[in-house]
C-alpha cells in the first residue's frame, strides 16, 4: 500500500471486517445450526441453516458465486451463529428467525392464503364454513379447493347430509334451515354432544376421501325407502347421491391410494426462483400454487426455506409431502434409476414394480417398493425431508422413481415453464414499449422519442390551479421523474397562460441544472396549448424541442395527434401501438394532475375551515394539522389534547364548537400532501 495515499474509512472498515470474519471462520463448530449474516450497520441481511456450520458458512467466503449471491456476500461485514442439537431444530429456528428479522436477502413467503378451505369449527355446536384464512384455532381444515365455487358446492352438499348449526350466534328461535332439515336447532332444542361428534366424524371421513362409503350407505337407505314405498325419501337420497357424484368429479391425474398430497417442484433462472405446489386431494390433482420471487442464496437452500415457511403457520396439512432432490444428487439419482430400470427389465418375470397403465394409475406394490428404495437414499434433500417429517409428524418423501417421481418432475417442469413465460412477457412488453416509442418518432418525423415529457393542467372554475408533468422513458412511465406544479401567476381558468408558466418553469430549471432535455414534449390540448409551449421554448429559452398536442373528442377520449407550427393532424391509426402509447401518456398525466388538484383542494378546504375560527392563524393551523393529521382528528379530539400544541381550554372549546357546527364529511384527502413540486 502506498503510504502517501490516504486510507478511506470505508476501506479500513472493510479490512477490519474481513479480518474479523477470518477469525470467526476458524472457530466455527462441526455442528448443525443457523447463521445470521450482517451488513456494516449490524442489520441482519440473511439467515440460513446448516447441517455442518463450519462447511456451510465458509462456502460463502471461498470459491465463486453467481451474481445474486455475490451481491449478498459483498454486503456481509459480520456473522453470528446459533448451534442446535439437530437438523430439525435448525429448520424450525431458521423459520422463526426469518419471521422475526425479515432479512432482505431471504425468501420471504407472502402467505396470503388465497385458496378456499372448508372449516369445521371447534365449538360445542360446530359449524361448517368456507374460509380463506387458516389459523391455529383447533378447528378442522380441509382443502385447498380449486376455487370458491367448488368449496361452496361441497359445503352445500354437506349441509344437506349433516345438519350442523348454521348461525354464528345462536338465535332465540329456530330458523329456515331447521325447517329444511339442515339444522338440528340447538338454539331451541337440546342436541347431544355425541350426535355432533358423529356428524363431524362422518364429515371428516367424507372430506378425507371416504365419499364412496357414504354413497354406498345412501344407496342402501334409498333402496330401503323404496321398498317401504317412501318414494319422497328415496328421491331425496337419490338426489344426494347425484350431488356427491357431481362434486367429486373424475380427473385424469390420479393416484389409486386416494391420499392427500402436496407435490413440490422448483426452477431457477436469471436470479429468480419459481416454486410450484401441486395439490392432490383424495388422490386427485385439483389445484396448483405458483410463487415467483428473486433469491440470493443457494437455490436449493432457499427452496427448502420456502417449504419450511409454507408449513410453519398452516394447520391444513396433507398426509404426504413430495419433494424434489438436490441438483447435485439429482444426476446421481437419474443414473441409479437407469441402472434399476435395466435390472427390472432383466427380471421382469419376478414381479418388479411398474406403472399400472397408460393413464398413470400407480401400482401400490410398486409404490411400496419405491418408498423402500427412497428410504435407502441419503443426501441433503432426504435429510431435510426427515427433519420436516419429525417436525410436522407426517410422511415426507424424496421419490427417486415411479409415479410419485413423475409427479415431482411435472411440478418442476411447470416451474420451468412459469419462469420462461415470465421472462418472455417481460421481454415482449419491453419490446412493444420501445418499438411504440420508435414508431411514434417516425410518425412525427423526429430522430427519437426515447424520453417523453407530458403536461396537463387542472383547476375547478379557476380555483386551486395546478399542473403536472409525467415522464415516459422508452415507452414506460418513469415515476421518480414526475413533477407537480402549483400555478403562481395565472388568475382564473386560463389554460394557455398556465401552460406558458409551467413550461417556462420546467425548462428554466432544466437549463440551470443541466438536466437532460426530452426528445418530445406532449401537451394535453390542441393548437392553443401547442403554440403557447413553442413560444416559450423558442422565443424565451432558445430551445428547439419538438412539441405535440393531444386533442380529445366529445367523450373526453384521445382523438388526434397534432404536430408542427402551425399544428397539423398526424394520421395515426387508432389500432396502432403508437396510438395506444399516446393514450397511456394522456391518461397518466391527467390522473396525476387530477390527484394533485384534489389534494390541494382538500388542503384548502381544511385551511379555510380553520382560518375562519377567531384565534387561529397560519402558524397555529399548521401546528394543528401537523399534530392531529386531519380535520376529522381535530374534531374528535378532547379539550386536553390541545395542550400538546400550546392551545388553552377556551380556544380549544372554540375550535371544537366551530368544527362540530358543520358535520359535513371532510374529503378523503384531509392530510397535508407532500408532493414533489417544482
Amino acid at each position: 500500500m502506498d503510504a502517501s495515499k490516504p486510507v478511506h474509512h470505508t476501506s479500513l472498515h472493510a479490512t477490519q471486517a474481513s479480518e474479523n470474519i477470518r477469525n470467526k471462520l476458524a472457530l466455527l463448530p462441526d455442528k448443525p445450526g443457523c447463521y445470521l449474516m450482517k451488513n456494516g450497520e449490524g442489520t441482519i441481511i440473511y439467515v440460513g441453516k446448516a447441517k455442518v456450520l463450519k462447511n456451510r458458512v465458509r462456502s460463502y467466503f471461498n470459491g465463486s458465486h453467481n451474481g445474486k449471491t455475490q451481491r449478498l456476500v459483498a454486503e456481509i461485514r459480520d456473522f453470528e451463529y446459533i448451534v442446535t442439537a439437530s437438523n430439525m431444530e435448525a429448520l424450525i429456528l431458521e423459520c422463526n428467525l426469518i419471521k422475526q428479522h425479515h432479512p432482505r436477502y431471504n425468501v420471504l413467503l407472502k402467505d396470503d392464503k388465497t385458496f378456499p378451505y372448508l372449516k369445521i369449527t371447534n365449538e360445542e355446536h360446530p359449524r361448517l364454513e368456507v374460509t380463506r384464512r387458516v389459523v391455529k384455532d383447533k378447528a378442522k381444515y380441509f382443502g385447498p379447493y380449486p376455487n370458491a365455487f367448488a368449496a361452496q358446492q361441497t359445503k352445500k352438499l354437506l349441509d344437506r347430509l349433516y345438519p350442523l348449526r348454521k348461525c354464528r350466534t345462536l338465535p332465540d328461535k329456530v330458523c329456515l334451515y331447521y325447517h329444511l332439515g339442515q339444522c338440528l336447532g340447538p338454539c331451541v332444542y337440546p342436541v347431544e354432544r355425541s350426535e355432533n361428534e358423529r356428524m363431524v366424524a362422518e364429515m371428516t371421513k367424507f372430506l378425507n376421501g371416504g365419499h364412496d362409503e357414504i354413497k354406498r350407505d345412501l344407496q342402501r337407505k334409498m333402496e330401503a325407502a323404496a321398498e317401504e314405498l317412501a318414494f319422497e325419501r328415496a328421491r331425496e337420497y337419490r338426489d344426494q347421491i347425484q350431488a356427491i357424484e357431481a362434486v367429486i368429479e373424475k380427473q385424469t391425474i390420479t393416484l389409486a391410494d386416494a391420499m392427500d398430497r402436496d407435490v413440490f417442484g422448483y426452477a431457477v433462472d436469471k436470479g429468480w426462483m419459481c416454486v410450484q405446489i401441486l395439490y392432490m386431494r383424495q388422490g386427485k390433482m385439483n389445484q396448483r400454487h405458483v410463487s415467483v420471487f428473486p433469491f440470493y442464496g443457494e437455490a436449493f437452500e432457499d427452496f427448502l426455506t420456502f417449504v419450511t415457511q409454507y408449513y410453519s403457520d398452516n394447520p391444513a396439512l396433507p398426509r404426504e409431502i413430495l419433494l424434489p432432490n438436490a441438483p447435485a444428487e439429482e444426476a446421481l439419482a437419474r443414473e441409479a434409476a437407469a441402472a434399476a430400470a435395466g435390472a427390472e427389465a432383466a427380471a421382469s418375470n419376478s414381479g418388479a414394480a411398474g406403472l399400472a397403465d397408460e393413464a398413470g394409475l400407480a401400482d401400490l406394490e410398486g409404490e411400496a417398493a419405491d418408498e423402500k428404495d427412497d428410504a435407502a437414499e441419503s443426501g441433503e434433500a432426504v435429510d431435510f425431508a426427515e427433519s420436516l417429517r419429525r417436525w410436522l409428524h407426517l410422511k415426507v418423501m424424496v421419490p427417486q422413481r415411479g409415479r410419485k417421481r413423475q409427479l415431482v418432475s411435472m411440478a418442476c417442469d411447470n416451474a420451468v415453464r412459469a419462469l420462461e413465460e415470465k421472462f418472455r412477457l417481460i421481454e415482449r412488453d419491453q419490446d412493444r414499449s420501445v418499438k411504440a416509442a420508435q414508431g411514434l418518432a417516425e410518425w412525427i418525423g423526429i430522430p427519437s422519442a426515447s424520453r417523453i415529457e407530458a403536461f396537463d393542467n387542472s383547476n375547478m372554475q379557476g380555483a386551486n390551479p395546478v399542473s403536472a408533468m409525467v415522464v415516459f422513458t422508452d415507452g414506460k412511465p418513469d415515476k421518480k421523474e414526475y413533477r407537480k406544479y402549483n400555478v403562481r401567476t395565472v388568475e382564473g381558468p386560463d389554460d394557455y397562460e398556465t401552460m406558458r408558466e409551467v413550461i417556462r418553469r420546467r425548462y428554466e430549471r432544466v437549463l440551470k441544472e443541466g438536466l437532460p432535455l426530452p426528445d418530445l414534449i406532449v401537451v394535453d390540448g390542441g393548437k392553443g396549448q401547442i403554440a403557447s409551449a413553442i413560444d416559450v421554448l423558442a422565443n424565451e429559452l432558445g430551445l428547439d424541442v419538438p412539441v405535440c398536442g393531444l386533442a380529445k373528442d366529445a367523450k373526453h377520449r384521445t382523438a388526434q395527434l397534432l404536430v408542427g407550427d402551425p399544428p397539423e393532424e398526424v394520421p395515426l391509426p387508432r389500432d396502432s401501438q403508437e396510438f395506444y402509447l399516446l393514450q397511456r401518456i394522456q391518461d397518466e398525466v391527467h390522473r396525476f394532475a387530477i390527484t394533485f388538484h384534489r389534494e390541494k383542494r382538500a388542503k384548502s378546504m381544511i385551511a379555510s375551515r380553520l382560518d375562519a375560527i377567531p384565534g387561529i392563524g397560519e402558524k397555529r393551523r399548521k401546528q394543528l394539522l401537523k399534530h392531529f393529521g386531519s380535520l376529522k382528528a381535530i374534531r374528535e379530539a378532547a379539550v386536553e389534547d390541545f395542550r400538546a400544541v400550546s392551545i388553552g381550554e377556551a380556544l380549544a372549546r372554540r375550535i371544537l364548537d366551530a368544527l362540530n357546527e358543520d358535520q359535513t364529511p371532510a374529503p378523503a384527502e384531509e392530510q397535508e400532501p407532500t408532493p414533489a413540486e417544482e
Side-chain angles (χ1 to χ4, degrees):
M1 180 183 294
D2 188 352
S4 64
K5 294 182 180 179
V7 178
H8 296 290
H9 291 296
T10 54
S11 300
L12 184 62
H13 180 69
T15 303
Q16 291 174 344
S18 180
E19 182 65 27
N20 181 47
I21 287 173
R22 275 198 298 270
N23 293 334
K24 282 191 170 184
L25 289 175
L27 302 176
L28 284 166
D30 295 321
K31 292 183 177 296
C34 290
Y35 52 91
L36 300 87
M37 301 299 192
K38 298 182 177 182
N39 63 12
E41 286 75 40
T43 303
I44 296 171
I45 59 175
Y46 188 77
V47 173
K49 62 182 177 302
K51 185 177 178 181
V52 180
L53 279 168
K54 180 170 70 175
N55 297 342
R56 186 71 190 93
V57 178
R58 282 181 175 179
S59 70
Y60 283 93
F61 306 98
N62 299 319
S64 60
H65 303 287
N66 59 34
K68 289 272 187 177
T69 307
Q70 284 177 359
R71 190 188 306 176
L72 163 63
V73 174
E75 285 195 37
I76 298 174
R77 294 293 179 269
D78 194 8
F79 70 85
E80 295 179 5
Y81 62 88
I82 303 171
V83 177
T84 59
S86 65
N87 290 338
M88 185 188 74
E89 288 186 10
L91 181 82
I92 300 171
L93 177 60
E94 180 200 36
C95 183
N96 293 335
L97 290 172
I98 290 173
K99 287 182 179 180
Q100 179 182 350
H101 298 290
H102 300 283
R104 62 173 297 195
Y105 288 112
N106 271 103
V107 171
L108 299 176
L109 179 61
K110 303 295 187 297
D111 193 14
D112 51 10
K113 294 187 176 70
T114 56
F115 293 144
Y117 291 80
L118 283 178
K119 173 183 177 181
I120 304 176
T121 61
N122 180 38
E123 300 172 275
E124 180 183 358
H125 300 290
R127 291 178 298 111
L128 176 67
E129 61 183 27
V130 177
T131 181
R132 292 179 184 270
R133 186 167 173 263
V134 182
V135 296
K136 293 182 178 179
D137 55 0
K138 297 184 179 180
K140 294 178 181 292
Y141 290 88
F142 305 90
Y145 282 82
N147 49 58
F149 178 76
Q152 291 288 357
Q153 287 295 100
T154 305
K155 179 183 182 299
K156 184 178 178 181
L157 168 65
L158 292 173
D159 284 341
R160 292 172 60 186
L161 295 175
Y162 305 103
L164 294 181
R165 76 180 177 100
K166 304 296 183 292
C167 305
R168 287 184 174 273
T169 303
L170 290 179
D172 54 3
K173 60 180 180 180
V174 295
C175 62
L176 180 61
Y177 286 110
Y178 173 79
H179 297 292
L180 292 173
Q182 296 184 19
C183 178
L184 295 178
C187 53
V188 175
Y189 304 104
V191 179
E192 295 293 332
R193 184 183 186 89
S194 59
E195 177 63 11
N196 282 328
E197 290 176 349
R198 180 193 66 79
M199 288 191 291
V200 169
E202 290 193 14
M203 291 171 70
T204 302
K205 182 192 298 183
F206 179 91
L207 293 168
N208 281 332
H211 39 79
D212 288 336
E213 182 179 339
I214 291 171
K215 275 176 58 180
R216 287 193 293 269
D217 184 52
L218 289 172
Q219 185 75 25
R220 287 193 298 269
K221 291 181 178 179
M222 180 183 70
E223 293 170 356
E227 289 180 2
E228 296 171 3
L229 303 182
F231 297 115
E232 289 291 333
R233 188 152 31 100
R235 187 178 66 177
E236 183 179 337
Y237 289 135
R238 183 205 62 188
D239 292 344
Q240 290 177 356
I241 292 170
Q242 291 176 347
I244 291 175
E245 291 172 346
V247 169
I248 311 299
E249 60 185 22
K250 297 295 182 183
Q251 300 186 27
T252 56
I253 304 175
T254 308
L255 288 183
D257 56 1
M259 183 181 287
D260 289 358
R261 290 183 176 87
D262 288 351
V263 183
F264 282 83
Y266 79 101
V268 295
D269 190 16
K270 299 181 179 68
W272 286 78
M273 178 181 295
C274 175
V275 176
Q276 291 256 352
I277 312 172
L278 304 180
Y279 298 100
M280 300 192 73
R281 296 300 180 260
Q282 291 94 55
K284 300 180 180 68
M285 191 80 69
N286 68 356
Q287 184 57 285
R288 70 169 181 166
H289 180 63
V290 184
S291 294
V292 181
F293 46 82
F295 74 99
Y296 297 90
E298 295 296 328
F300 192 67
E301 284 285 328
D302 281 1
F303 163 69
L304 299 182
T305 297
F306 177 96
V307 176
T308 307
Q309 290 185 63
Y310 179 79
Y311 287 114
S312 63
D313 288 322
N314 192 349
L317 298 174
R319 292 174 59 192
E320 183 176 270
I321 299 170
L322 303 182
L323 299 173
N325 217 340
E329 295 157 9
E330 181 68 16
L332 296 176
R334 281 197 296 268
E335 292 177 7
E344 287 175 4
S348 59
N349 57 353
S350 62
L355 295 179
D357 53 30
E358 291 182 0
L361 294 177
D363 183 280
L364 296 181
E365 182 181 352
E367 291 295 331
D370 287 345
E371 294 177 15
K372 185 176 180 181
D373 289 338
D374 292 337
E377 296 288 339
S378 62
E380 186 177 6
V382 176
D383 289 343
F384 173 81
E386 174 61 19
S387 299
L388 199 62
R389 181 192 66 78
R390 291 169 56 201
W391 178 35
L392 299 176
H393 305 291
L394 51 83
K395 184 185 290 186
V396 184
M397 297 176 59
V398 184
Q400 307 299 322
R401 57 192 63 82
R403 180 60 175 154
K404 292 180 181 179
R405 179 68 187 87
Q406 292 178 8
L407 289 171
V408 172
S409 295
M410 181 168 62
C412 292
D413 290 343
N414 276 278
V416 170
R417 293 176 188 274
L419 274 185
E420 290 175 349
E421 181 179 336
K422 173 185 173 63
F423 295 130
R424 280 201 304 269
L425 288 173
I426 291 173
E427 292 168 1
R428 186 178 182 185
D429 189 39
Q430 289 175 341
D431 288 345
R432 281 186 174 181
S433 298
V434 172
K435 287 178 180 177
Q438 292 172 347
L440 181 61
E442 293 175 5
W443 273 101
I444 295 175
I446 58 177
S448 171
S450 176
R451 180 182 175 92
I452 300 173
E453 296 185 358
F455 296 83
D456 189 17
N457 306 323
S458 181
N459 65 77
M460 183 175 288
Q461 297 179 344
N464 305 120
V466 299
S467 188
M469 180 193 78
V470 302
V471 178
F472 274 62
T473 303
D474 291 330
K476 287 197 157 190
D478 190 354
K479 295 194 175 183
K480 66 180 183 297
E481 296 285 335
Y482 286 15
R483 293 294 181 267
K484 301 174 181 178
Y485 297 88
N486 280 305
V487 178
R488 299 169 182 169
T489 62
V490 181
E491 296 291 337
D494 191 334
D495 205 38
Y496 299 158
E497 285 303 315
T498 299
M499 186 63 68
R500 293 174 66 89
E501 176 188 329
V502 173
I503 292 290
R504 183 184 299 114
R505 286 168 57 188
R506 167 61 184 170
Y507 295 105
E508 279 181 347
R509 184 166 191 170
V510 166
L511 292 173
K512 181 179 178 180
E513 299 182 5
L515 301 175
L517 282 168
D519 299 307
L520 177 66
I521 295 173
V522 178
V523 296
D524 188 74
K527 296 179 179 180
Q529 286 84 354
I530 295 174
S532 299
I534 291 176
D535 181 47
V536 172
L537 290 167
N539 299 326
E540 296 185 25
L541 304 176
L543 293 175
D544 183 17
V545 181
V547 179
C548 70
L550 297 177
K552 295 178 180 176
D553 59 17
K555 296 184 178 180
H556 208 69
R557 296 177 302 194
T558 304
Q560 55 184 195
L561 170 64
L562 301 173
V563 177
D565 188 13
E568 296 181 357
E569 181 181 351
V570 177
L572 202 59
R574 292 293 186 94
D575 58 350
S576 66
Q577 287 295 321
E578 292 82 1
F579 192 83
Y580 174 63
L581 172 61
L582 289 174
Q583 283 182 316
R584 288 180 59 207
I585 292 173
Q586 190 168 39
D587 291 345
E588 178 67 358
V589 70
H590 183 68
R591 178 201 65 80
F592 193 50
I594 286 292
T595 301
F596 182 35
H597 182 255
R598 286 172 179 167
E599 290 174 350
K600 186 176 180 182
R601 191 170 76 246
K603 181 180 177 182
S604 175
M605 291 171 66
I606 294 171
S608 63
R609 290 188 190 181
L610 291 174
D611 286 341
I613 301 172
I616 299 295
E618 183 179 358
K619 184 177 179 181
R620 273 185 169 158
R621 168 167 52 82
K622 290 181 178 179
Q623 286 177 334
L624 285 167
L625 288 173
K626 183 177 180 180
H627 179 71
F628 290 101
S630 70
L631 200 64
K632 181 181 178 183
I634 298 173
R635 184 187 294 118
E636 295 175 352
V639 171
E640 53 269 19
D641 294 336
F642 288 85
R643 293 174 185 166
V645 288
S646 303
I647 291 180
E649 181 178 344
L651 181 55
R653 292 190 183 280
R654 197 183 312 151
I655 293 170
L656 293 174
D657 290 343
L659 293 180
N660 287 315
E661 282 178 6
D662 181 11
Q663 291 298 322
T664 303
E669 299 86 2
E670 284 187 338
Q671 295 188 356
E672 285 197 293
T674 55
E677 300 176 20
E678 288 191 351

